[in-house]
Amino acid sequence: MRVPFAVPTNRLSRLALAALCATGFAGVAIAFTAFAPASAQAQASQTTIRPTTPRSAPTAPLIAPDSLFPYHPGVDVAHYDFGITLPESGREFQGTATLTVNRRRTVDTLRLDLKAAMLVDSVLVGTRSRPFRRDAERVHIPLTGADGTHLTVTVRWHGTPDDGLIITESDKPPAAERGWRAFGDNWPDRARHWLPTVDHPSDKATVKWTVIAPSSLAVVANGTQTAHASLSSRQGYSAWQFTMRQPIPTYLMVIGAARMQETALGPTACGSGIDGACVPQSVWTFPEETSYVPGPFTEAGRVVQEFAKTATSFPFERLAHVQSSTRFGGMENATVIFYADNAFRRHSMGIGLIAHETAHQWFGNAVSPRRWEDVWLSEGFATYWTALYLRAARSDSAYHAELRNMRSTVLASKISAERPVVDTVGATSPMRLLNSNSYQKGGFVLRMLHGALGDSVFFAGVREYQRRFRHGTATTRELQHILERHAGRSLEPFFTQWLHRPGFAELTVKWRYDSTSRTLEATVSQGARFAPFALPLVLQLRDATGATQRVTLNLQATSTQILRMPLHLIGTPVTLDADPDVAILGEIRVEPQTP
């Protein structure tokens, strides 16, 4: 967990904003001379100030156990203060980052992830220049005992990114009118392509952005915009400042700059925000698509409202939905979701994608996976919460249809047959976790947990999970322990078979009805491809009159079982439907037997 970064939440007064305009944005956290051309540097030199540090940070911080910071043990970055200057054309940008760092005294080197394409101009520890060493992946900054355990480190750099910050200079028709634009795209560990960071989800931090860009562009970033002014020191340029008060992983720290227009959705989901507040939402689009909105985003308020009922209050102060140019169809960046350009241009944006990315604000953003192998805690929850939204806003049939789609994807997946959901491959290759295990199987496991525990226990456990780990990190084991406490029983067999082993259930149900004893006899065999599963299998029988009865077979983890159940149907059952509520992750074949 992080020490909260104390930031005033009030916006700048008009008088203060006017003063910023007159001084070229003096008073912000980044020294603007680091970005201005030489002629402007002399002009702005009298107004340069140093980056601020969190006022609430302790002078002698205690570093959490290495188990909480596995990537860079003994180091906790509490805050990033980024200053980014974007060009009018081309792809080279300039940056300054001031990090507030807590470290254990035994740590003698701060390792910041930064690809070699980014050229480091200087490093300061405190106010003094510090030699550093570069390799293809990192900046190595030596630390001394005199630096203390709570320090600030400032890095100045420039370069042309090959990833992470996606800069588009021109397009072919029909998108040629979009113009120059840049969007951060960091997942899973691609912040290092353009930002010096400890680039791992275990080390969350607050972030402040100061972005200098051509005045013709609009700029978005994490958190709340706290200032915006034209620069007197640089003709045709403006500066924007954004403050994110809650700690987030580096893969969520982004900016966007483009010719965009904002459509306000207003104060939505009132009562569902922090301390019962409303959640202001907006949609940012390229001018050509502004007429498309609000369109599907008219439901954005209800999405937040429904999720707040099941997962506690919305964890941030606002939420923006942004048309962008990035690698993914949707990216859940904290408070500023980036969506693919085509979904707007083709008018194909669906409520499922909006719900999925919004769910991430709770699952992944507020509570983040501490290890990459637990990424299903982000993607699986967002996938299942999307299905829950469809049930609440549409119907049970829409919910069941979504579950069937999830299940079909898993059953057809080679990855799901070969790898577990909690997959150690993520430690070295997190991009490989963008698969059916993290999304559909993880989501369906939550559906089965929900069915096994019931509404009251399941949602109470999820709410405690959110409250306990909010703005921190968690693991699969920690979720399991919370749900076990609410359930009053061990869930170890469930978590082991569904999350720590590959595969899914493959069942063959052979059944016959004994009219003399009015008994159903079912022989259930499990396929040999995977270890057998223990699970409850619901069967629904229907007789010739249309009457139905449901029975539950509590299957053990054995290859074959014969179970007998009394029936109360008036007539002989003529059909048997296995798993009518789409509650089992498996392939089920039903074969009636002749008495």
Side-chain angles (χ1 to χ4, degrees), residues 305-350:
Q305 198 167 34
E306 292 293 339
F307 291 166
K309 293 177 185 176
T310 54
T312 72
S313 61
F314 188 73
F316 306 115
E317 294 160 346
R318 56 177 280 272
L319 183 60
H321 306 267
V322 182
Q323 182 179 7
S324 71
S325 301
T326 58
R327 287 178 61 175
F328 298 110
M331 182 59 210
E332 65 269 17
N333 309 306
T335 76
V336 57
I337 299 169
F338 287 177
Y339 299 90
D341 180 7
N342 284 343
F344 288 83
R345 186 160 53 84
R346 297 172 180 171
H347 293 191
S348 59
M349 179 68 66

Side-chain angles (χ1 to χ4, degrees), residues 34 232 323 353 357 396:
S232 60
Q323 182 179 7
L353 180 59
E357 303 305 333
D396 283 346

Side-chain angles (χ1 to χ4, degrees), residues 12 18 40 70 112 126 158 164 176 243 294 317 322 352 368 380 399 421 538:
L12 295 171
L112 298 181
H158 69 280
T243 299
E317 294 160 346
V322 182
S368 307
Y399 170 68
V421 172
V538 174

Side-chain angles (χ1 to χ4, degrees), residues 257-293:
R259 296 171 186 167
M260 296 183 291
Q261 295 179 0
E262 181 183 20
T263 300
L265 301 178
T268 72
C270 292
S272 300
I274 297 173
D275 296 328
C278 302
V279 180
Q281 295 194 67
S282 61
V283 184
W284 290 84
T285 55
F286 301 136
E288 297 76 23
E289 278 73 53
T290 299
S291 61
Y292 177 53
V293 296

Side-chain angles (χ1 to χ4, degrees), residues 70-72 113 138 187-189 192 199-202 369-376 419-435 438:
Y71 183 71
H72 197 343
D113 298 302
R138 294 180 179 86
W187 202 95
D189 55 357
R192 65 191 65 197
D199 196 13
H200 191 271
S202 60
R370 188 173 308 138
R371 313 172 306 168
W372 282 121
E373 47 260 52
D374 291 313
V375 76
W376 82 278
R419 305 290 305 182
V421 172
V422 181
D423 193 345
T424 55
V425 72
T428 55
S429 303
M431 190 69 80
R432 290 174 60 185
L433 296 179
L434 289 179
N435 59 42
S438 300

Side-chain angles (χ1 to χ4, degrees), residues 312-549:
T312 72
S313 61
F314 188 73
F316 306 115
E317 294 160 346
R318 56 177 280 272
L319 183 60
H321 306 267
V322 182
Q323 182 179 7
S324 71
S325 301
T326 58
R327 287 178 61 175
F328 298 110
M331 182 59 210
E332 65 269 17
N333 309 306
T335 76
V336 57
I337 299 169
F338 287 177
Y339 299 90
D341 180 7
N342 284 343
F344 288 83
R345 186 160 53 84
R346 297 172 180 171
H347 293 191
S348 59
M349 179 68 66
I351 190 59
L353 180 59
I354 296 170
H356 182 98
E357 303 305 333
T358 301
H360 272 305
Q361 304 303 308
W362 284 266
F363 304 106
N365 297 8
V367 180
S368 307
R370 188 173 308 138
R371 313 172 306 168
W372 282 121
E373 47 260 52
D374 291 313
V375 76
W376 82 278
L377 294 173
S378 174
E379 298 299 349
F381 266 100
T383 299
Y384 185 53
W385 251 245
T386 298
L388 289 176
Y389 178 75
L390 293 176
R391 183 175 69 174
R394 300 294 190 270
S395 63
D396 283 346
S397 61
Y399 170 68
H400 289 144
E402 187 73 6
L403 293 175
R404 289 189 185 94
N405 288 336
M406 291 160 58
R407 183 168 65 186
S408 296
T409 299
V410 174
L411 298 187
S413 169
K414 186 172 183 284
I415 287 289
S416 293
E418 295 178 350
R419 305 290 305 182
V421 172
V422 181
D423 193 345
T424 55
V425 72
T428 55
S429 303
M431 190 69 80
R432 290 174 60 185
L433 296 179
L434 289 179
N435 59 42
S436 58
N437 276 342
S438 300
Y439 289 79
Q440 290 85 2
K441 185 175 179 181
F444 210 101
V445 167
L446 290 169
R447 188 271 177 271
M448 292 189 291
L449 264 175
H450 185 183
L453 302 180
D455 281 356
S456 178
V457 170
F458 178 72
F459 289 123
V462 170
R463 284 190 288 268
E464 183 186 336
Y465 170 75
Q466 276 288 319
R467 285 191 296 266
R468 181 173 176 183
F469 296 105
R470 176 157 286 198
H471 305 312
T473 62
T475 64
T476 299
R477 187 68 65 186
E478 287 165 332
L479 171 67
Q480 177 183 333
H481 289 165
I482 287 176
L483 292 175
E484 286 176 334
R485 190 160 55 251
H486 283 267
R489 58 187 171 90
S490 173
L491 297 174
E492 182 68 24
F494 180 95
F495 274 73
T496 296
Q497 70 178 12
W498 292 115
L499 293 171
H500 299 286
R501 283 178 12 202
F504 41 83
E506 293 180 316
L507 308 177
T508 299
V509 180
K510 297 181 179 180
W511 67 280
R512 67 183 186 88
Y513 177 67
D514 186 331
S515 58
T516 303
S517 61
R518 300 182 69 182
T519 300
L520 170 71
E521 180 180 286
T523 301
V524 183
S525 302
Q526 301 205 35
R529 190 159 58 131
F530 310 116
F533 290 81
L535 53 86
L537 176 63
V538 174
L539 306 178
Q540 179 171 283
L541 298 104
R542 183 185 303 273
D543 67 17
T545 69
T548 61
Q549 181 182 343

